[in-house]
């Protein structure tokens, strides 16, 4: 996502989830099991089973045989034919086929025989649909075109043997095979653009895209960053010019600080994961120190100030917070999370002036229904440590794809082993989904950014997918919209209007406290009824310290399934948007932060109880004229430049007559400046204070 001032905080839209492939290329890493590795492929001729030799020869199919860590796939050139997948766990034998002496099928002695009890058929006719699992004993024959059978068969039998072992031994053997193969692949220096290009860092890591980790060689030079996948999929090498990079962000992956995300070009990004935090930090340090990497000054230290005073929208600020909290469109376990804001999905007109139209943003989804909450609190009181109120999460890969299945169906098929969800459990209606979030025993999901991004194509079945038939005999097709929405674009525009409206603007900081702030964990979270399963929190488990492969794999699976709580950004209450002093003056105390992770983001001088909707609307209207200049902060021209403080400024305020400016900072000093005289009038030090100065009250 790139907001209006040019700052890149994430992916442009979820359309980056779509694989942009040509019409003939059907193979994708999404056809493999999560965590499965694709190694290489071979040109082959496939002879269909269950036919006479003459008939099989006439119906032969040319294509590529794909060797993977847990399966073999045949991808025929003729896209009308399905891709065939042979899982090693279903294979009974692998070997060389020996036919008749004068067999037409075996002229070079290079025919591979695969005997199996099940074949999975995918993407027949190049259509995206649930996989077909053909359960029958069959023998499939493949004649290798350009390579000998011996080498191919040896590699295949090695992986087949691994599939017959127990989990721990299987994982260890596959890891050993992977490392041995990777050690044989070096970076191709032919990719370097010139003789003057020098390699600065070379490492092994994974490129992460939704549901896929693809290992490869990471090479940083003084001009480019290269990622060379070991399997040459989906491309032989990815080159990123350092001069095209706009932002580089350290990322968390599976609750470990091992990722780095690079934003470059108009709307491109690259998420890389390395083996250790030390390796990640080394790559990051070298990247940002390269002269060619002219990174943008995004002015992030002032984002909270800009949001408070209307310079950026609620949407932009939430995208910013998601990015700072390690949420990425490339990682479905940490997909950007947005709040339900509207709770009226039955009226014919959406009244944004009526407080009853809006969801209570001071509470998590699970606490909105008192009857359900009482049941959860009873269970919580009887539960041993570590306790949790909600066994599910507000953001998981399954929930993200629940919303997006109509635009990225291959991802849901990958996650659900080749099947769509039961038709009655799919995203069929916005109103029904909201109702289930209120009443469902374990449904506490929030929304995703797409609900606030027109045109809302994720609500339409434009791909004409066969998503099944519900119990009432109606087909699953487009999502049923609220009566007040004329269509997907109208619904997303109205939801965006609600998000940017007075009620949400005055209360959004409460939701930020729950998701990114001080109510996310600890005693404040317990008091706010905002406690989730402990493995969703950063720091709850150290995967690197776990030696038992079974235990580590189990924890990784739980993290992938249950999702992850965002990184905590605030440990004090978040400031409110468009703050108005209790005296009714149009000037305000402006809280600034130099880093969202510091503990200095506080709100002073506000009542602990949130204002009513009418009060909030009145306050915004009263402040709108006085804050008009602050909304144009990016367009203001400098009239003078004073070296005010040695450390970060935390608050700025004007006098009643707007002739004097006051500022306080973390260096415990208060300064007073004359607007007309363009000079400092007074400086007072409060060095005896333990804490820095955070606000000014009159």
């Amino acid at each position: 996502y790139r907001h209006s001032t040019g700052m890149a905080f994430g992916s442009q839209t979820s359309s980056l989830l779509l694989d942009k492939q040509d019409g003939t290329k059907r193979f994708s890493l999404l056809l493999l099991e999560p965590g499965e590795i694709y190694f290489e492929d071979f040109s082959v001729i496939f002879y269909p089973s269950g036919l006479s030799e003459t008939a099989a020869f006439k119906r032969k199919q040319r294509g590529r045989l794909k060797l993977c860590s847990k399966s073999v796939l045949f991808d025929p050139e003729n896209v009308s034919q399905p891709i065939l997948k042979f899982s090693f766990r279903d294979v009974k034998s692998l070997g060389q086929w020996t036919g008749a002496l004068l067999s037409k099928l075996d002229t070079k002695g290079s025919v591979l025989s695969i005997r199996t009890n099940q074949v999975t058929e995918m993407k027949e006719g190049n259509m995206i649909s649930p996989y077909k699992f053909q359960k029958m004993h069959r023998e499939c024959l493949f004649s290798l075109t350009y390579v000998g059978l011996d080498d191919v068969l040896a590699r295949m039998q090695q992986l087949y043997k691994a599939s017959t072992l127990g989990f721990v031994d299987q994982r260890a053997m596959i890891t050993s095979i992977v490392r041995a193969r990777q050690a044989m692949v070096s970076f191709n220096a032919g990719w370097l653009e010139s003789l003057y290009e020098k390699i600065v860092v070379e490492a092994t890591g994974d490129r992460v895209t939704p549901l896929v980790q693809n290992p490869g060689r990471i090479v940083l030079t003084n001009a480019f960053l290269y990622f060379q996948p070991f399997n040459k999929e989906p491309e032989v090498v990815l080159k990123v010019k350092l001069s095209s990079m706009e932002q580089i962000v350290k990322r968390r992956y599976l609750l470990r600080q091992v990722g780095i995300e690079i934003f470059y070009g108009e709307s491109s990004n690259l998420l890389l994961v390395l083996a250790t935090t030390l390796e990640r930090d080394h790559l990051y340090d070298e990247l940002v120190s390269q002269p060619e990497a002219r990174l943008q000054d995004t002015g992030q230290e002032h984002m909270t100030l800009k949001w408070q005073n209307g310079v950026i929208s609620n949407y932009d600020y939430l995208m910013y917070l998601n990015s700072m909290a390690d949420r990425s469109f490339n990682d479905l376990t940490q997909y950007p999370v947005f709040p339900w804001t509207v709770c009226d999905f039955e009226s014919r007109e959406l009244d944004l002036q009526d407080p009853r139209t809006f969801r209570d943003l001071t509470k998590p989804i699970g606490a909105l229904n008192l009857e359900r909450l009482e049941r959860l609190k009873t269970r919580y009181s009887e539960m041993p440590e570590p306790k949790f109120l909600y066994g599910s999460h507000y953001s998981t890969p399954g929930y993200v794809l629940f919303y997006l299945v109509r635009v990225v169906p291959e991802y849901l098929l990958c996650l659900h082993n080749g099947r769509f969800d039961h038709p009655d459990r799919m995203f069929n209606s916005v109103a029904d989904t909201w109702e289930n979030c209120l009443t469902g025993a374990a449904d506490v999901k929030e929304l995703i950014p797409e609900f606030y991004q027109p045109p809302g194509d994720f609500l339409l079945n434009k791909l004409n997918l066969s998503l099944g038939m519900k119990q009432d005999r109606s087909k699953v097709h487009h999502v049923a919209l609220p009566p007040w929405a004329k269509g997907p674009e109208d619904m997303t525009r109205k939801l965006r209007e609600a998000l940017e409206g007075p009620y949400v603007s005055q209360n959004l900081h409460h939701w930020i406290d729950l998701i990114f702030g001080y109510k996310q964990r600890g005693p404040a979270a317990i008091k706010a009824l905002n406690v989730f399963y402990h493995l969703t929190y950063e720091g709850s488990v150290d995967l690197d310290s776990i030696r038992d492969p079974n235990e580590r794999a189990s924890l990784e699976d739980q993290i992938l399934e249950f999702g992850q709580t965002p990184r905590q950004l605030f440990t004090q209450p978040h400031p409110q948007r468009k703050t108005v002093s209790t005296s009714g003056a149009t000037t305000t105390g402006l809280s600034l932060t130099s880093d969202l992770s510091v503990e200095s983001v506080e709100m002073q001088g506000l009542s602990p109880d949130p204002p009513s909707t009418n009060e909030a609307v009145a306050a915004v209207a009263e402040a709108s004229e006085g804050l008009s200049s602050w909304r144009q902060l990016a367009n203001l021209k400098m009239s003078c430049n004073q070296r005010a403080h040695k450390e970060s400024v935390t608050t700025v305020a004007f006098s009643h007559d707007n002739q004097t400016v006051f500022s306080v900072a973390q260096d415990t000093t208060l300064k007073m400046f004359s607007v007309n005289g363009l000079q400092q009038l007074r400086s007072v030090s409060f060095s005896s204070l333990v804490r820095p100065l955070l606000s000014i009250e009159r």
Side-chain angles (χ1 to χ4, degrees), residues 70 112 141 363 381 549 625:
K70 297 181 181 180
L112 170 69
L141 305 179
K363 299 177 181 178
S381 65
E625 182 177 355

Side-chain angles (χ1 to χ4, degrees), residues 16-17 70 107 156 170 175 214 240 287 301 359 388 429 468 510 558 579 601 605 612 619 636 643 674:
L16 287 181
L17 291 174
K70 297 181 181 180
T107 58
M156 200 173 292
Q170 178 189 125
T175 300
N214 198 21
V240 181
L287 254 175
E301 66 274 13
R359 165 257 182 106
F388 59 87
S429 162
H510 296 299
Q558 289 185 65
T579 314
V601 185
S612 67
L636 295 180
R643 180 172 176 78
S674 169

Side-chain angles (χ1 to χ4, degrees), residues 8-204:
F9 300 134
S11 162
Q12 183 79 7
T13 66
S14 65
S15 64
L16 287 181
L17 291 174
L18 291 168
D19 243 343
K20 300 298 184 183
Q21 300 177 345
D22 59 66
T24 60
K25 183 177 180 180
R26 295 184 294 166
F27 176 74
S28 161
L29 297 178
L30 291 169
L31 299 179
L32 310 183
E33 295 181 20
E36 186 175 4
I37 297 173
Y38 161 57
F39 292 113
E40 57 191 332
D41 66 353
F42 312 95
S43 175
V44 298
I45 298 174
F46 168 58
Y47 300 105
S49 60
L51 302 174
S52 66
E53 186 173 310
T54 302
F57 185 79
K58 289 182 178 179
R59 297 177 61 181
K60 64 185 179 183
Q61 302 175 30
R62 295 187 178 275
R64 309 290 298 185
L65 196 65
K66 312 276 186 180
L67 178 60
C68 309
S69 58
K70 297 181 181 180
S71 63
V72 178
L73 285 82
F74 172 64
D75 182 12
E77 291 179 356
N78 184 351
V79 296
S80 67
Q81 298 295 326
I83 294 176
L84 305 179
K85 182 177 182 179
F86 305 87
S87 294
F88 286 135
R89 62 175 174 267
D90 299 318
V91 171
K92 294 305 173 185
S93 67
L94 289 169
Q96 182 176 1
W97 180 76
T98 54
L101 183 62
L102 300 177
S103 171
K104 294 181 179 180
L105 308 185
D106 188 10
T107 58
K108 300 179 181 179
S110 295
V111 175
L112 170 69
S113 167
I114 300 179
R115 294 180 181 271
T116 183
N117 289 332
Q118 177 174 287
V119 176
T120 305
E121 297 181 355
M122 304 176 288
K123 302 185 78 169
E124 183 176 5
N126 208 15
M127 299 293 292
I128 300 173
S129 61
Y131 304 163
K132 297 178 181 178
F133 301 93
Q134 304 292 354
K135 295 186 177 182
M136 64 175 68
H137 181 75
R138 67 174 74 180
E139 180 182 25
C140 297
L141 305 179
F142 299 91
S143 175
L144 282 83
T145 308
Y146 301 115
V147 297
L149 178 61
D150 291 344
D151 288 343
V152 175
L153 187 57
R155 301 172 205 172
M156 200 173 292
Q157 287 177 331
Q158 200 177 25
L159 292 165
Y160 173 59
K161 180 181 178 181
S163 71
T164 64
L165 304 176
F167 174 80
V168 175
D169 293 334
Q170 178 189 125
R171 183 164 181 165
M173 187 171 180
I174 290 178
T175 300
S176 176
I177 293 170
V178 169
R179 288 177 178 171
R181 285 173 169 267
Q182 292 177 356
M184 297 168 58
V185 180
S186 59
F187 177 69
N188 183 357
W191 298 122
L192 300 180
E193 292 287 317
S194 72
L195 296 174
Y196 302 102
E197 196 173 350
K198 296 180 180 180
I199 294 178
V200 179
V201 176
E202 184 169 356
T204 298

Side-chain angles (χ1 to χ4, degrees), residues 634-647:
N635 299 325
L636 295 180
K637 295 182 179 179
M638 183 183 298
S639 61
C640 74
N641 186 0
Q642 295 282 343
R643 180 172 176 78
H645 297 274
K646 295 179 181 179
E647 296 185 33

